[in-house]
């Protein structure tokens, strides 16, 4: 059989027997890497993000993963294809597009290298699921499903990331319908509404490798409508709602840090729990301070005589001013470390360091006295500062 449209395990980069925690870690890493807000204008990143999200939605749910592992794909409608004719009836059956599919191996019981019914159930078991409605099997009913997670990218400035901040976000999410309390059903006699699962078409599309199946919608039985549907949500059981969420960004947040707000994702269906909200921080650069992990790096100019004779100078830190000792004979580009003057790591409760790189600044000889002093200095030190360089050439 041809390969599935998306190989979810390959998409997340995990083995087929990966634990749920490994799948979740792989998803979060890839979601941060390919999120459209962190890759503006990159269509390929947006497509990869969608594939990662699709793979996680299936593999993070035990029932969906079980179906995917068994048949190589997952669909919200399962395999139910029975029409409204009921047991023994001849309601609408699946329309199938078998273009590009080679059946030579699917139904052969012999031949070297061919998969038979004895090897893992075979392809006939898959077809028996599609046509089980003819034999009187009951129509599958929709099951409660946990709500999906939401991703939000938030811009914060350098100081908000360093010190932490309280933020208010306006998010639009699926919430439980207040009229039907998530059931999707209205009062008796409330009339009909379009089926939310098939969008009123009466059928749902499903891929199985290279095959495409148009199946009768299991929720409305192919009618495209739901009787006594809730007038507020149209039978979906959920409505879109914009609400304000308050949360705190902890001190030391990095560019790309991910914060979880439990229960603020989309509402689940039929009473299932909601998903979570994940906030990814995008930190603006500072004009002077440069952050590397938990360390802060700066470049400070010093005068030639300070470098030659040594000095104590004031340098800026994220906490204010502090003194730095410049030893005698300091060279251009030399780096000094100020212990625990960097960023507080909220996980380890330890601070990084501040790295100060000095840049020698030559005097501007605008007056004759300065020029004369420099000439005397040149006579006192006639050695070639580039001698060591030429010795290596």
């Amino acid at each position: 059989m041809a390969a599935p449209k998306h190989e979810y395990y390959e998409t997340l980069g995990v083995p087929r027997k990966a634990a749920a925690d490994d799948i979740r870690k792989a998803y979060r890493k890839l979601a941060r890497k390919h999120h459209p807000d962190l890759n503006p204008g990159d269509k390929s990143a947006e497509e990869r993000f969608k594939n990662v999200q699709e793979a996680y939605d299936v593999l993070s749910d035990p029932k969906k993963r079980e179906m995917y592992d068994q048949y190589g794909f997952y669909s919200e409608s399962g395999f139910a294809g029975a029409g409204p004719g009921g047991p023994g009836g001849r309601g609408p059956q699946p329309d199938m597009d078998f273009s590009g599919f080679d059946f030579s191996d699917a139904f052969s019981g012999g031949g070297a290298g061919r998969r038979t019914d004895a090897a893992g159930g075979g392809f006939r078991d898959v077809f028996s699921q599609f046509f089980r409605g003819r034999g009187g099997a009951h129509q599958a009913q929709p099951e409660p499903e946990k709500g999906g997670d939401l991703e939000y990218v938030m811009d914060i400035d350098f100081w908000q990331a360093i010190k932490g901040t309280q933020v208010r976000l306006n998010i639009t999410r699926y919430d439980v319908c207040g009229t039907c309390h998530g059931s999707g059903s209205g009062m008796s006699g409330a009339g009909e509404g379009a089926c939310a699962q098939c969008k009123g078409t009466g059928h749902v599309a499903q891929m199985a490798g290279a095959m495409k199946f148009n199946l009768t919608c299991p929720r409305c039985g192919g009618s495209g409508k739901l009787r006594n549907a809730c007038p507020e949500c149209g039978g979906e059981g959920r409505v879109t709602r914009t609400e304000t969420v308050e949360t705190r960004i902890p001190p030391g947040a990095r560019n790309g840090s991910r914060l979880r707000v439990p229960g603020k994702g989309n509402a689940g269906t039929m009473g299932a729990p909601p998903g979570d909200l994940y906030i990814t921080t995008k930190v603006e650069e500072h004009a002077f301070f440069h952050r590397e992990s938990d360390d802060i790096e700066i470049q400070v100019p010093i005068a030639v005589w300070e470098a030659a004779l040594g000095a104590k100078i004031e340098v800026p830190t994220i906490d204010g001013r502090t003194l730095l000792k410049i030893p005698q004979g300091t060279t251009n580009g030399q780096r000094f470390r100020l212990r625990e003057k960097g960023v507080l790591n909220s996980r380890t409760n330890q601070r990084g360091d501040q790295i100060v790189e000095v840049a020698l600044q030559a005097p501007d000889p605008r007056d004759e006295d300065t020029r004369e002093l420099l000439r005397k200095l040149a006579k006192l030190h006639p050695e070639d500062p580039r001698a060591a360089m030429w010795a290596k050439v």
Side-chain angles (χ1 to χ4, degrees):
M1 179 180 291
K5 184 178 180 182
H6 291 302
E7 219 308 322
Y8 294 146
Y9 290 103
E10 290 184 5
T11 298
L12 295 182
V14 296
R16 298 188 73 86
K17 294 184 179 180
D21 286 343
D22 295 331
I23 291 175
R24 182 165 51 253
K25 291 176 183 177
Y27 161 71
R28 291 179 178 177
K29 180 180 178 180
L30 293 172
R32 285 195 297 267
K33 180 179 179 181
H34 300 304
H35 198 286
D37 289 337
L38 297 178
N39 299 273
D42 188 344
K43 293 296 183 182
S44 61
E46 181 179 351
E47 187 63 29
R48 288 192 295 270
F49 178 79
K50 291 179 180 178
N51 291 341
V52 168
Q53 185 68 52
E54 178 183 339
Y56 179 70
D57 286 344
V58 173
L59 298 184
S60 62
D61 186 288
K63 293 184 178 179
K64 294 181 182 180
R65 184 178 180 182
E66 181 181 2
M67 178 180 175
Y68 176 76
D69 287 343
Q70 185 174 359
Y71 301 111
F73 67 95
Y74 172 77
S75 172
E76 294 289 344
S77 57
F79 285 113
R90 298 186 59 84
Q93 297 298 331
D95 298 324
M96 303 182 185
D97 177 9
F98 299 105
S99 60
F101 185 82
D102 181 6
F103 287 91
S104 60
D105 291 344
F107 298 108
S108 174
R114 293 179 177 177
R115 182 173 180 178
T116 66
D117 288 347
F123 196 73
R124 289 190 180 89
D125 290 346
V126 179
F127 271 83
S128 68
Q129 298 289 334
F130 284 101
F131 295 106
R132 64 187 177 188
R134 293 183 178 180
H138 69 279
Q139 181 175 299
Q141 297 297 320
E143 297 182 354
E145 184 174 346
K146 183 179 183 295
D149 296 334
L150 294 179
E151 295 277 348
Y152 190 96
V153 177
M154 183 178 60
D155 293 326
I156 59 176
D157 64 33
F158 177 82
W159 292 111
Q160 287 176 319
I162 296 296
K163 305 294 185 182
T165 184
Q166 192 79 15
V167 295
R168 293 166 58 92
L169 306 175
N170 292 323
I171 62 170
T172 300
R173 56 187 288 264
Y174 279 117
D175 201 0
V176 176
C177 175
T179 301
C180 67
H181 305 291
S183 68
S185 300
M187 298 176 61
S188 179
E192 295 183 338
C195 174
Q197 185 161 338
C198 66
K199 310 301 182 186
T201 63
H203 64 271
V204 290
Q206 181 169 282
M207 294 296 297
M211 299 182 300
K212 179 180 180 181
F213 298 85
N214 290 318
L215 305 179
T216 300
C217 176
R219 186 168 186 178
C220 65
S223 67
K225 296 183 179 296
L226 293 176
R227 294 182 177 180
N228 299 328
C230 172
E232 179 70 19
C233 64
E236 169 71 15
R238 304 181 300 179
V239 293
T240 57
R241 180 169 294 137
T242 300
E243 69 174 279
T244 300
V245 175
E246 292 192 14
T247 189
R248 176 159 182 80
I249 304 297
R254 303 184 186 183
N255 188 50
S257 293
R258 203 159 180 255
L259 179 68
R260 173 175 171 263
V261 184
K264 289 301 181 180
N266 287 325
T269 61
M270 302 176 65
D276 300 326
L277 170 65
Y278 290 92
I279 302 172
T280 301
T281 56
K282 189 175 182 181
V283 183
E284 298 176 2
E285 292 285 343
H286 191 271
F288 182 71
F289 294 108
H290 176 69
R291 181 174 178 178
E292 285 291 341
S293 187
D294 293 330
D295 293 338
I296 296 291
E297 296 183 354
I298 64 172
Q299 188 179 68
V300 176
I302 62 173
V304 172
W305 51 87
E306 289 176 326
L309 301 175
K312 287 185 178 181
I313 64 172
E314 279 191 326
V315 295
T317 72
I318 59 175
D319 299 320
R321 300 187 178 196
T322 192
L323 284 176
L324 173 65
K325 182 179 180 180
I326 303 297
Q328 181 176 326
T330 294
T331 58
N332 185 53
Q334 194 166 337
R335 293 160 67 91
F336 300 94
R337 184 180 298 271
L338 295 173
R339 299 288 181 183
E340 297 186 355
K341 291 295 184 180
V343 183
L344 174 66
N345 188 316
S346 57
R347 293 182 179 179
T348 63
N349 202 33
Q350 294 180 340
R351 293 190 62 166
D353 301 330
Q354 177 162 306
I355 310 300
V356 181
E357 180 180 319
V358 296
L360 267 63
Q361 186 171 316
D364 185 7
R366 296 185 178 184
D367 58 274
E368 184 59 32
D369 289 342
T370 302
R371 287 193 288 271
E372 183 61 29
L373 286 173
L374 293 175
R375 293 189 192 103
K376 290 181 179 179
L377 182 63
K379 290 179 181 180
L380 289 172
H381 295 277
E383 61 272 11
D384 184 359
R386 292 167 292 281
M389 175 190 73
W390 290 113
K392 298 176 183 178
V393 175

